[in-house]
């Protein structure tokens, strides 16, 4: 196809890293590529906190005990951010109310686009990484750790470094299970059965439960309370 599409299609999350650094110019390029993503009305309703010190990584690991957090050279913490908008309101002596689902979607989508751009840029330079959404399970403590003010909330982080593992690309759903022509086409259980078989073949001996069982378990869980508590505390809900 072309180099860009080949890079995108060869993505695979990396959770183990060599003890090697990402150079400063590379990190700068990764972050600038992230910020080149589109954003709602060009507001860039997110911020990125760059974590490189062992102390901060250890503190984050204490809250989110995933080995990638400790091993990564750099953690980029993506924060949904309407705090700057509050300063615009201050400038124009306007009332400010950031509460609501639409504002959360705006900032979460902006952050996700920037994050994916950054990930691809990192991969193009030979680095690897993984998104870590589990930071939201400790949203209150994570917000404290990074001194997040009102109107901001942690969404995900990306652990980045020089890969010490390489997995083959994980299979995706067949296109006709999620790409529809002209109108939505609700799927049947057969789609799920077929994708279970694909995922089982990919995972081989590593598989402990079916793909569909993991889905069921996700939706069986009570909603974790931290995100809502933090959003309320930071005047976003
Ligand atoms: C928003 C988001 C949050 C994620 N959170 C985690 C996480 O907390 N821990 C983890 O190991 N992987 C996490 N992942 C990585 C996914 O598990 C991974 O992308 C998925 O299994 C597909 O695998 P691949 O990225 O290798 O193609 C996350 C991915 C996304 C997009």
């Amino acid at each position: 196809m072309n180099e860009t599409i080949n890079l995108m299609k060869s993505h695979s999350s990396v959770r183990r890293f060599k003890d090697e650094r990402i150079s400063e110019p590379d990190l700068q390029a990764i972050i600038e590529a992230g910020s080149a993503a589109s954003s709602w009305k060009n507001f860039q309703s997110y911020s990125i906190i760059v974590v490189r010190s062992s102390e901060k990584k250890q503190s984050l690991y204490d809250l989110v005990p995933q080995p990638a957090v400790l091993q990564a050279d750099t953690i980029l913490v993506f924060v949904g951010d309407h705090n700057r908008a509050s300063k615009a309101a201050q400038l124009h002596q306007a009332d400010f109310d950031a509460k609501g689902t639409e504002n959360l979607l705006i900032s979460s989508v902006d952050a996700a686009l920037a994050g994916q751009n950054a990930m691809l840029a990192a991969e193009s330079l030979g680095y690897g990484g993984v998104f870590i959404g589990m930071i939201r399970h400790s949203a209150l403590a994570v917000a404290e750790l990074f001194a997040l003010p009102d109107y901001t909330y942690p969404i995900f982080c990306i652990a980045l470094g020089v890969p010490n593992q390489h997995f083959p690309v994980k299979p995706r759903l067949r296109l006709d299970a999620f790409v529809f022509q002209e109108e939505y086409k609700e799927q049947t259980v057969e789609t799920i059965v077929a994708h279970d078989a694909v995922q089982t073949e990919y995972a081989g001996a590593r598989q402990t439960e079916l793909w569909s069982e993991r889905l069921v378990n996700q939706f069986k869980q009570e909603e974790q309370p931290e995100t809502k508590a933090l959003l309320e505390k930071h005047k976003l809900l």
Side-chain angles (χ1 to χ4, degrees):
M1 196 40 92
N2 68 37
E3 216 182 309
T4 307
I5 293 176
N6 287 341
L7 173 81
M8 289 168 159
K9 290 178 72 174
S10 58
H11 160 78
S12 170
S13 291
V14 171
R15 297 177 176 82
R16 297 291 180 275
F17 302 97
K18 292 185 181 159
D19 190 13
E20 289 175 32
R21 308 256 40 200
I22 297 176
S23 72
E24 283 295 342
D26 283 356
L27 186 56
Q28 186 74 14
I30 290 166
I31 292 169
E32 284 178 5
S35 73
S38 294
S39 70
W40 180 272
K41 296 186 179 175
N42 201 23
F43 289 160
Q44 287 190 257
S45 303
Y46 62 91
S47 290
I48 302 170
I49 299 173
V50 182
V51 180
R52 305 202 85 182
S53 73
S54 313
E55 297 74 27
K56 222 35 179 285
K57 281 187 245 172
Q58 181 64 53
S59 304
L60 184 59
Y61 176 78
D62 291 343
L63 301 172
V64 189
Q66 297 193 23
V69 172
L70 271 192
Q71 280 189 18
D73 172 70
T74 302
I75 313 273
L76 301 179
V77 185
F78 283 76
V79 173
D81 194 342
H82 296 302
N83 187 280
R84 282 184 295 273
S86 77
K87 300 301 189 282
Q90 201 178 315
L91 173 69
H92 296 289
Q93 288 110 45
D95 292 338
F96 186 73
D97 180 4
K99 289 196 178 82
T101 341
E102 185 62 23
N103 289 333
L104 291 174
L105 285 170
I106 286 171
S107 43
S108 296
V109 171
D110 280 5
L113 297 180
Q116 178 64 10
N117 256 21
M119 176 70 95
L120 285 172
E123 290 174 345
S124 78
L125 293 167
Y127 303 110
V130 63
F131 284 88
I132 299 183
M134 290 296 281
I135 61 166
R136 293 196 302 270
H137 287 230
S138 306
L140 290 161
V142 167
E144 248 180 64
L145 181 63
F146 296 111
L148 300 190
D150 282 351
Y151 313 119
T152 66
Y153 64 105
I155 308 178
F156 56 81
C157 60
I158 306 180
L160 286 176
V162 177
N164 200 13
Q165 64 177 183
H166 179 74
F167 290 117
V169 170
K170 269 189 202 166
R172 291 339 195 208
L173 285 160
R174 275 173 49 152
L175 287 188
D176 62 2
F178 69 100
V179 181
F180 309 130
Q181 307 304 321
E182 313 301 339
E183 65 178 15
Y184 190 86
K185 189 164 172 234
E186 192 166 353
Q187 299 296 292
T188 62
V189 166
E190 279 67 46
T191 299
I192 307 302
V193 173
H195 197 57
D196 269 344
V198 170
Q199 291 290 347
T200 297
E201 192 184 333
Y202 168 82
R206 291 198 309 273
Q207 176 164 284
T208 50
E209 55 187 350
L210 291 171
W211 177 80
S212 58
E213 287 171 331
R214 288 197 285 120
L215 258 174
V216 170
N217 289 339
Q218 170 74 29
F219 284 89
K220 239 198 259 169
Q221 283 169 25
E222 293 273 310
E223 189 185 0
Q224 61 85 3
E226 287 262 330
T227 299
K228 187 160 181 277
L230 188 271
L231 291 174
E232 284 169 351
K233 187 174 175 205
H234 282 197
K235 305 179 181 149
L236 288 161
L237 263 188

